[in-house]
Amino acid sequence: MDWSLHWFNGILLLLEDKAFLIDPSSNNVFGDVIVVSHAHGDHVAGLKSRGFKLASYYTLKLYEAATNVRVDDSYPLFMDGQRIPLDRLMMEVYNSGHILGSLQFRFEGVSSSLVYTGDINLVDTVITNAGKVLECDELIIDATYGNPKVSFPDRWRVYEDLAGFIDSSIKSGRPPVLKVYSIGKAQEVIALINRFLGLEVVVDSKIARINEVYRSAGVDLTYIPLSSSEGYESFKSLSLPLVTSNAKVYKYARSIGMPGVMATGWASIYRLPNCEASFPLSDHADFQQLVSYVEASGAKRVYPVGAFSRQFSIWLRRNMGLEAKPIVDLA
């Protein structure tokens, strides 16, 4: 092989004289290049490290908007299909369909190829295009929902169900408060409410900052910051739905009569507490989509990463005869 794979607080791609660390879970890491797939909080520790960093332009901008911290010593990636020569490797970057700026990476060596999907979604949403399958010899794949029990319903039916709940709540005089991730899910829900119901949305300050990055990327969002006088009045008068990632804001909104709503893939298998309604809306691939990716990639060795990595590895060995084990087992 052209490299060896290891787990060292992240995915370590080791050549004879170079080390590439992908999505490290700590900022106290070392490597010649730190590769970051997207801007969600569980993937951005590498942006706080001292090493040279590769990430998409929008990953960098979203991180800075979310944290108010500038990323130094970084190289922004702009184009789907962009090719970057790294020593004796060629790295290609492609949209992963997860959130704005999320990437999957393909490393091409002299005799072999490796793909890291990052968090991946394989269906179109109201604000993102689906990620595509990349062919490879070795595959490191997101297994957040790598459980055969996880099967998401048609996304547009979920949209209709969620919009219907919001509409009926508003007509009853109790617009809902939706607690979602500030990056990605918040913007999807806002776009859904804008387009399906023709309504503005009140949002917390962090989501408002992130929305501006999405708008700069051409995503049309109509919203009112809660921190503005108009937003505060709309909130107090219960006239518009509220989208927040802030637990305290969510709790207070429910205390004044706004029904709590959560939109997450976990709603497909669990009954969620602290909400009046939940909807199985995910920006990850479900089990069957993951299986389809593995099949179409042609990979001979598969290393799942995420919540169901062990269960997915066992399934791949038993049902597809592949060499498969969780990436963390390479430590």
Side-chain angles (χ1 to χ4, degrees), residues 2 12 18-19 22 67 78 89 104 114 122-123 143 150 153 185 199 219 234 237 241 252 268 279-281 328:
D2 298 290
L12 181 62
K18 288 288 187 297
I22 307 171
T67 63
F78 288 93
L89 292 180
Q104 48 180 332
L114 166 73
L122 299 176
V123 298
V150 180
K185 190 64 65 63
L199 294 173
V219 179
S234 296
S237 64
Y252 179 75
S268 67
F279 296 85
L281 188 64
V328 295

Side-chain angles (χ1 to χ4, degrees), residues 14-52:
L14 200 61
L15 282 69
E16 288 184 8
D17 56 350
K18 288 288 187 297
F20 301 91
L21 193 58
I22 307 171
D23 277 351
S25 56
S26 168
N27 64 335
N28 187 24
V29 292
F30 301 92
D32 296 287
V33 180
I34 309 297
V35 180
V36 176
S37 65
H38 67 284
H40 277 153
D42 56 338
H43 287 258
V44 297
L47 296 180
K48 309 170 193 175
S49 70
R50 296 181 180 180
F52 176 72

